[in-house]
Amino acid sequence: MATRTIWLFLGIAAAAVAGSVVTYDTTLGNVLYVVTYLALCVLAWVAVARTPRGERWPWILVATAQMLWLTGDGIELGYYYWSADGVPPVGLADGFWLAGYPLLAVALTMMARRRAPGRMRSAVLDGLTLAVAAGLASWQFLILPNLGYGLSLAETIVPPLYPIADVVLLAAVLFIALSPGDRGAPTRLLLGAVVLYLAIDVSYNVLPYLLDYTVVAKIGPLIMFGNALMIAACLHPQRAELTRAGEQVNVLHPARVLFLGLAFLSAPTLTLLEDGVQRNAVVALAAVALSTGFVLTRFTFAVREQEKAQAQLAFQARHDPLTGLANRAVLTGELEKRDGPVAVLYLDLDGFKQVNDTFGHQAGDLVLSVVAQRLGGAVRATDLVVRLGGDEFVLFCPDLPEAEAVRLAERVLADVAQPIRYQGSLLDIGASIGIAAYGPDLPVGDGDLLRSADMAMYEAKKQGRGRWVMAGRLP
């Protein structure tokens, strides 16, 4: 689905949700709520059907969770309209509502593992640290105050399960938020949906102390907009970033250190609030806060050093050490991801061996570096310049028409042919170029694309120095 269509869908969903909020607790509002929610559930399964088979399981769990929540709402509406006793405080609907949380948490955890395979340790540890702090706060402020009122067993057990489910869901979404991986629109939509779910649940527990419950109850339809955000993430053309390994290196954000510090201080702070503010307790809390600050500062310095080393290793694994250009691994990835027209120019330098034999490898390294700079200056910002090895280079140019590829080849031939000054001498080199340009509908494999450009380059060499040949037009 196109990005513009996704934003249109979210706009329609927002309007429907707003209508449900305004007409809440009326027959019209209930009908609008059920119709909107049912339409979103249908779209969730449509989104699942459009997802590649190997990436469907997390989205199947998301769609199932939404169906369970809708079923719980339907049961409650049934009590509302047809039960003489009205809606029970705890009932079958709670079972369906609570069942959706672990499914969604499992889906998020699966996404996190697929996004960062083998790189989840720090995200899991930090996520669990923050979740434990949230769980402690939920126990003290949301669960404990509601215990011991002499209610029935079900009314005593079921309500605390919601804050517990929220903590589990929080841990799962933190695994994604704190793990390495791309941070495009699908990830932001997903995180926004879960944050909205959690905000609604917390509001249900906190706002009744501040507002009349008839006002608080109207936030219920907002959960549908969270569902719409989830569906939009699944329908987004870049949704693969949620279920495939990303390239982004994990970086320690300053906010992450701040949240960890708050998590470490949560237990002594809550204890201080529970026991009352006493001078000794305040001094102890200040000492703990100071020690925590020192520990986190040392932790930050250590992690920064590790990040620099990881970033350097990641760069070396994907770039040529001499020229700084991307290497074959990067080109292979781009070829595998291509989904539209593309032109590939395969270059081999003319006269490079003579330069090496006459002036030595230092001169040869200079030639390669200068050629790399000239190639980088000849292409667009969206193009990729690759050194395959030796004196072979590739220009990967998405959405470049064949005629433009020819003009690029001619420009590159002219640029590369400019003499290079070395220790008072002029190094004279040239290039032979093979071009392979294909549209999105032509069934050309990734290997065939590069191979065709390579064969065309060899044909250019046969015809003489400083030429280009278009693949598919070989004599």
Side-chain angles (χ1 to χ4, degrees), residues 332-354:
T332 300
E334 292 297 326
L335 287 168
E336 291 175 351
K337 291 189 298 185
R338 72 181 181 95
D339 56 359
V342 63
V344 172
L345 281 66
Y346 201 118
L347 288 79
D348 185 87
L349 299 183
D350 300 325
F352 180 74
K353 184 177 184 301
Q354 290 84 343

Side-chain angles (χ1 to χ4, degrees), residues 220-360:
L222 293 177
I223 195 171
M224 293 191 297
F225 191 68
N227 295 347
L229 292 173
M230 281 280 188
I231 296 168
C234 186
L235 290 173
H236 199 280
Q238 298 175 358
R239 64 176 173 263
E241 73 177 32
L242 288 166
T243 51
R244 295 180 187 173
E247 299 175 356
Q248 181 174 318
V249 178
N250 197 16
V251 176
L252 184 65
H253 194 279
R256 189 168 182 171
V257 179
L258 175 62
F259 291 146
L260 288 174
L262 294 176
F264 293 150
L265 293 173
S266 60
T269 302
L270 293 176
T271 301
L272 178 63
L273 293 175
E274 180 71 18
D275 295 341
V277 179
Q278 299 178 1
R279 184 171 60 183
N280 292 339
V282 172
V283 172
L285 180 60
V288 171
L290 189 61
S291 299
T292 301
F294 290 147
V295 171
L296 288 178
T297 301
R298 177 66 185 92
F299 164 76
T300 302
F301 286 144
V303 172
R304 290 299 186 203
E305 292 295 328
Q306 186 180 31
E307 287 174 356
K308 290 180 182 179
Q310 289 178 345
Q312 184 175 5
L313 290 175
F315 183 87
Q316 292 174 351
R318 298 175 58 81
H319 292 81
D320 172 54
L322 175 63
T323 63
L325 297 178
N327 60 16
R328 185 183 292 271
V330 177
L331 176 63
T332 300
E334 292 297 326
L335 287 168
E336 291 175 351
K337 291 189 298 185
R338 72 181 181 95
D339 56 359
V342 63
V344 172
L345 281 66
Y346 201 118
L347 288 79
D348 185 87
L349 299 183
D350 300 325
F352 180 74
K353 184 177 184 301
Q354 290 84 343
V355 169
N356 261 339
D357 292 344
T358 304
F359 297 96

Side-chain angles (χ1 to χ4, degrees), residues 424-444:
S425 300
L426 292 179
L427 307 180
D428 187 21
I429 60 170
S432 298
I433 301 178
I435 308 173
Y438 294 101
D441 299 328
L442 294 179
V444 179

Side-chain angles (χ1 to χ4, degrees), residues 138-161 163-164 209:
S138 295
W139 168 259
Q140 183 157 332
F141 295 113
L142 302 179
I143 298 176
L144 196 59
N146 294 318
L147 298 179
Y149 286 127
L151 302 175
S152 67
L153 182 62
E155 292 175 351
T156 302
I157 294 177
V158 173
L161 293 179
I164 294 173
Y209 294 103

Side-chain angles (χ1 to χ4, degrees), residues 115 172 202 284 406-407:
R115 282 164 55 90
V202 172
V406 170
R407 281 193 281 272

Side-chain angles (χ1 to χ4, degrees), residues 31-55:
V31 171
L32 180 59
Y33 181 88
V34 171
V35 170
T36 303
Y37 211 141
L38 185 59
L40 289 173
C41 287
V42 171
L43 280 174
W45 287 105
V46 170
V48 169
R50 292 185 177 183
T51 305
R53 189 175 298 274
E55 302 172 12

Side-chain angles (χ1 to χ4, degrees), residues 430-461:
S432 298
I433 301 178
I435 308 173
Y438 294 101
D441 299 328
L442 294 179
V444 179
D446 303 331
D448 294 336
L449 184 63
L450 191 60
R451 191 179 306 112
S452 297
D454 188 15
M455 292 174 60
M457 181 273 294
Y458 276 109
E459 181 61 28
K461 275 196 171 296

